[in-house]
Amino acid sequence: MRERVYGRPEHGQHGLLIYTAAGDAEGTLGGLVRQGEAPHFAETLIRMLEAAAWCSADPLCAEHTGQGFGNLNRAACHACTLLPETSCQTGNTLLDRALAVGSARAPGYFTDVLTASREYAAATVQG
């Protein structure tokens, strides 16, 4: 699977494209197609963001200014984001968990989604 992140924050526009990069049956049929349909995709996205919002190495992980090959990773460590080198096509470069979910210093790309999800969950529990 691959992804592309698009954004025009000056216009309040953001987008995420997730697609299969290989044309074999493993990535294009069955459960993967169903996961892209409502409500499965939203649930998967929110679970992924909640998992990414916390790392057992925080605050060190989230506040790191560079690590990995050529210091190309920011908030990404083996406890939360990094994959075995053979599994990652780009060798785990340019990863930054805080860019997606935010940190104490800056909001992330999906901060609004996480906030809305948490507010909805709190209202559901209280209601």
Side-chain angles (χ1 to χ4, degrees):
M1 293 184 66
R2 290 191 170 181
E3 73 284 335
R4 295 275 186 252
V5 178
Y6 301 94
R8 291 178 58 186
E10 65 275 9
H11 298 293
Q13 298 174 338
H14 307 284
L16 176 68
L17 172 65
I18 300 173
Y19 62 99
T20 57
D24 64 354
E26 289 291 319
T28 59
L29 301 174
L32 186 59
V33 172
R34 186 166 183 250
Q35 283 301 114
E37 298 172 352
H40 305 291
F41 179 73
E43 182 178 325
T44 300
L45 179 65
I46 290 170
R47 285 184 181 187
M48 182 268 310
L49 292 172
E50 285 293 345
W54 182 84
C55 173
S56 61
D58 279 341
L60 295 176
C61 177
E63 295 175 0
H64 211 283
T65 58
Q67 55 192 343
F69 179 75
N71 285 332
L72 292 174
N73 295 335
R74 298 288 185 213
C77 72
H78 285 91
C80 65
T81 306
L82 300 183
L83 297 169
E85 295 289 328
T86 56
S87 298
C88 184
Q89 190 174 31
T90 59
N92 286 316
T93 58
L94 302 176
L95 296 175
D96 189 345
R97 179 175 55 87
L99 178 68
V101 296
S103 69
R105 293 185 285 170
Y109 189 78
F110 290 104
T111 298
D112 294 341
V113 174
L114 272 172
T115 302
S117 170
R118 289 171 179 161
E119 288 173 354
Y120 177 77
T124 303
V125 170
Q126 292 175 359

